[in-house]
Amino acid sequence: MDRFQAMATFTRAVDSGSFTAAARQLNVGQPAVSKLIAQLEDRLGVRLLTRTTRGLAPTEAGQHYYERARRALEEADEAELAARGAGRGLSGRLRISAATTFARLHVIPRLPAFLAAHPELELEVILDDRVIDMIEENIDLSLRMGALSDSTATARKLAEGRRSIVATPAYVERAGAPRTPAELAGHEAIVYTRFDTPSWTFRHVSGSEASVRVGGRVRVSAAEGLRAAVLADMGLAVASEWMFTPELASGAVMRLLDDWHLPLLDLWALFPPGRLPNAKARAFAAFMVQAMKAG
């Protein structure tokens, strides 16, 4: 039994959730996958996989083996990349996570260029607004915005984005445009609970500051909900301009209080704690830096 092939087959079975899917991805027959994993279990003397209603799942021993086998395969890929020249010929699978709206607007439209540069690379994008466990979810790179709460992860700052008060022209026509931050108290605001804060500090172009509590009757927990509420003319919002890039460009959404600035929003690439970022993750982070600069 080829130990390297067995590790690759086992990790693919866990990732795909079935022998059939793993066989299809590896371009071999399903019996060959079943036989190789059975041989691996015999060699190790433990059961690695169990069947559930959702498909295959690793046992406790299987999960420990999976984590180490995946790391060994990544290190083997790193060795090959180093021999061929770093940054060229990326191959294998890259798993990234990102907030749904940001990924839809700023990541997925750019993926064709990245994949075209690396034709042997497989990419899996996990869309989730929540902060997920990178080790548990086997994520190679996570794109996150705002302050970082995980001090154990390796982070690289990719870009800075502007926050603004935004609203539709229809809302402004109905409610009027605030002329100062203090006037926001008289407006209906859509509150994004993920970045909820007791108050926002605005800095005028002249250097003066004003702290204001922004609130309203509608609170949403996901960026898609904030977008939908603003676009439905329900109120104004404190939001990252990344969230409304197409609408700001078309005029469907407008900036308010343009002379007053809010703290910038940082975009980060986070890598799993306890290990060096692999070459694929580093390459994608570098790609995103250039992509965000290009706008």
Side-chain angles (χ1 to χ4, degrees), residues 171 174 187-191 214-220 234-236:
Y171 173 80
R174 181 177 80 243
H187 281 264
E188 196 64 43
I190 313 301
V191 177
V214 178
R217 294 182 295 161
V218 179
R219 299 167 64 86
V220 296
M234 293 174 64
L236 51 76

Side-chain angles (χ1 to χ4, degrees), residues 229-291:
V230 169
L231 294 175
D233 311 320
M234 293 174 64
L236 51 76
V238 178
S240 159
E241 292 193 1
W242 287 326
M243 197 183 296
F244 290 95
T245 299
E247 291 79 14
L248 286 167
S250 69
V253 166
M254 55 194 296
R255 298 180 190 88
L256 304 176
L257 298 177
D258 215 21
D259 289 339
W260 292 86
H261 298 162
L262 286 159
L264 297 175
L265 183 66
D266 294 332
L267 173 66
W268 300 89
L270 264 62
F271 307 98
R275 67 179 72 165
L276 292 174
N278 62 46
K280 297 185 287 287
R282 293 198 307 270
F284 188 78
F287 171 79
M288 285 301 300
V289 168
Q290 297 305 314

Side-chain angles (χ1 to χ4, degrees), residues 53-164:
T53 55
R54 298 171 124 190
L56 292 176
T59 62
E60 182 178 358
Q63 184 63 35
H64 291 317
Y65 182 81
Y66 171 83
E67 292 169 0
R68 287 160 178 77
R70 191 169 186 271
R71 193 175 306 170
L73 292 168
E74 289 174 351
E75 290 177 353
D77 286 343
E78 289 280 299
E80 291 185 3
L81 287 170
R84 290 200 299 259
R88 296 189 296 112
L90 295 177
S91 62
R93 177 175 297 186
L94 173 64
R95 282 172 58 88
I96 66 173
S97 69
T100 304
T101 299
F102 183 81
R104 179 171 67 82
L105 295 175
H106 300 284
V107 179
I108 292 175
R110 293 179 162 106
L111 295 184
F114 185 71
L115 291 173
H118 306 288
E120 296 183 11
L121 186 68
E122 296 179 15
L123 191 60
E124 188 170 353
V125 185
I126 294 84
L127 304 182
D128 204 320
D129 286 351
R130 66 190 175 94
V131 176
I132 63 178
D133 187 317
M134 298 183 69
I135 297 296
E136 183 178 340
E137 300 285 344
N138 299 306
I139 302 298
D140 298 301
L141 178 148
S142 180
L143 296 175
R144 295 186 192 168
M145 288 173 282
L148 299 180
S149 57
D150 186 354
S151 61
T152 64
T154 301
R156 177 182 178 183
K157 186 174 175 179
L158 303 182
E160 291 181 337
R162 184 178 174 185
R163 285 188 177 105
S164 293

Side-chain angles (χ1 to χ4, degrees), residues 184-226:
L184 291 172
H187 281 264
E188 196 64 43
I190 313 301
V191 177
Y192 183 22
T193 57
R194 185 180 175 201
F195 290 125
D196 195 8
T197 180
S199 64
W200 292 95
T201 298
F202 293 79
R203 180 183 291 273
H204 192 261
V205 290
S206 66
S208 60
E209 292 188 352
S211 293
V212 179
R213 179 183 292 272
V214 178
R217 294 182 295 161
V218 179
R219 299 167 64 86
V220 296
S221 61
E224 286 295 299
L226 182 72

